[in-house]
Amino acid sequence: MFELFENELNNLNAILDQVKNNSLDFLEKIVDRPTYIADQSIVPGDLPEAGIGALGSLDFFKKHYEKLMVASPGPRYWGFVTGGATPAAIAGDWLTAVYDQNTQSTQGAGDVSAIVEKETMRLLYQLLHLPDHFEGGFVTGATMSNFTGLAVARQWAGALSGRDVAREGAVGDVAVLAATPHSSVLKSLAMLGIGSNQVVQIGTMPGREAMDLADFEQKLTENQGRPIIVNCSAGTVNTVDFDDIAAIAALKQRYRFWLHIDAAFGGFAACSSAYCHLLNGWEHADSITIDCHKWMNVPYDSAVALVRKEHNRLQVSAFQNSNAPYLGDPSENFSYLNFLPENSRRFRALPAWFSLTAYGRKGFEWIVENSIACAQALGNYIETSAHFELAAPVRLNVVCFRLKKDTEKMPLFLKELNRRGKVFMTPTSLSGEPALRAAFVNYRTGKQDILIAIREMEEVMSAL
Ligand SMILES: *Cc1c(COP(=O)(O)O)cnc(C)c1O
């Protein structure tokens, strides 16, 4: 063996020890780490002829790059929808790299980690009160999950007119009905060749992001004769509004459509007995998107794509990897290779399995309800504040707000707030008006963090 690798392997104990110490150092100080780094410059290096080894690289990284790592897994990173990583999830993720399985077949020769992936899905269904009439598996994020669900929908749409889109290409005319689709749904439609212009915009209820059901039914009627895909939002990113899933699903009795639910983070409302009603009826979906790297607090790249088992054959025609036409029952000789976009697959289920096993139903109920309580606390402050006002009621775990006066100063306010590095938020647009968002997803966030944020917001306002 090349001497460098021999040394590395002999040194593994020291390497992993250093990585552990480094990790502890980062995680123990995460509460005080800045959520924003002003100086983002790095000195570009050249590829070394002779490498400096793992410990040398770790030293170099610590010296030059670690300072660029913001506290995005910390308690006050409220931009986008940013989850953290629980200890069990970190353990699972670390071991994923160690085990380094290529997770594909449940009956394959060699690697059978897909059996654990299937088991993880079963635990997840139990957590989310979903029946196991779905076939589910892990993908990199909710974007790929939306892509997967919509790819099977596309296959279904083609099949309605006897076309096998996966083989013949060109999906043809499809109507995609949606009220407030996430940008990644539009991106998925673009990637799938359906085209994001195929979205038939459904009106929303007054002051809401959720579908107006009368308009929805009207558009269902108008688009009869075209294959219809309905994209339901189970948690919009701005106001965490939910389409009325039960009412929409009930219309499947009278109209033919594919029901896709984007429940990227909102799906975890199912963990809370107080909020699980928001997902009533979601078991009737044809496909569901759920992110794990958001509210489940596992590290990035982790989401699941769920498609009803009755669509197994469509799913296999969409994602089949072999040249031979698929014969037999897809549930036998099951391989994720033929069900999901990727071929080689990381053992992504492991961090989720660790989390589900480590924290159970109660743990996730606590995470979800704690996030909601944090959002409510910030919302209560904003409602009584002289400087700010809510742009929408706090429906779940996101606070969407504005400056009360001098709204043109909002970008400046946000820039200054973020620059101070104690709390991070992101801008958005709600009903065409600019607004600010604070999303509560991280299990570490508590009342003390809300107090810090309020102090920061007040100080920035008084200096504005
Ligand atoms: C975050 C999000 C997505 C996209 O998820 P990624 O994990 O970033 O790919 C899709 N839909 C909703 C509702 C989201 O919140």
Side-chain angles (χ1 to χ4, degrees), residues 122-265:
R122 235 172 42 78
L123 301 183
L124 198 58
Y125 298 150
Q126 289 177 14
L127 177 71
L128 301 176
H129 307 288
L130 278 168
D132 66 358
H133 61 216
F134 293 99
E135 195 62 75
F138 281 76
V139 290
T140 52
T143 302
M144 275 321 282
S145 179
N146 280 330
F147 174 88
T148 302
L150 294 170
V152 188
R154 181 184 69 167
Q155 197 66 14
W156 168 85
L160 291 180
S161 54
R163 294 173 47 74
D164 180 345
V165 176
R167 270 139 212 93
E168 296 163 35
V171 59
D173 187 36
V174 178
V176 181
L177 273 51
T180 314
H182 188 264
S183 58
S184 65
V185 169
L186 305 179
K187 181 176 178 174
S188 298
L189 294 173
M191 291 194 286
L192 287 162
I194 294 175
S196 49
N197 283 352
Q198 301 291 345
V199 171
V200 175
Q201 182 66 50
I202 306 298
T204 52
M205 291 185 277
R208 298 275 304 270
E209 289 187 296
M211 277 188 201
D212 174 323
L213 286 175
D215 190 43
F216 174 60
E217 192 163 358
Q218 168 86 25
K219 299 268 162 57
L220 275 178
T221 313
E222 284 170 14
N223 286 280
Q224 287 306 298
R226 306 169 75 190
I228 297 174
I229 299 170
V230 175
N231 177 77
C232 232
S233 291
T236 57
V237 286
N238 278 338
T239 69
V240 204
D241 213 343
F242 284 66
D243 289 330
D244 187 340
I245 299 170
I248 290 165
L251 287 168
K252 281 189 128 204
Q253 310 268 342
R254 286 194 278 136
Y255 303 90
R256 184 173 60 189
F257 57 88
W258 180 282
L259 179 57
H260 176 74
I261 300 181
D262 180 357
F265 67 98

Side-chain angles (χ1 to χ4, degrees), residues 270-284:
C271 298
S272 156
S273 49
Y275 294 95
C276 59
H277 65 271
L278 293 167
L279 293 152
N280 278 352
W282 72 328
E283 67 278 10
H284 299 298

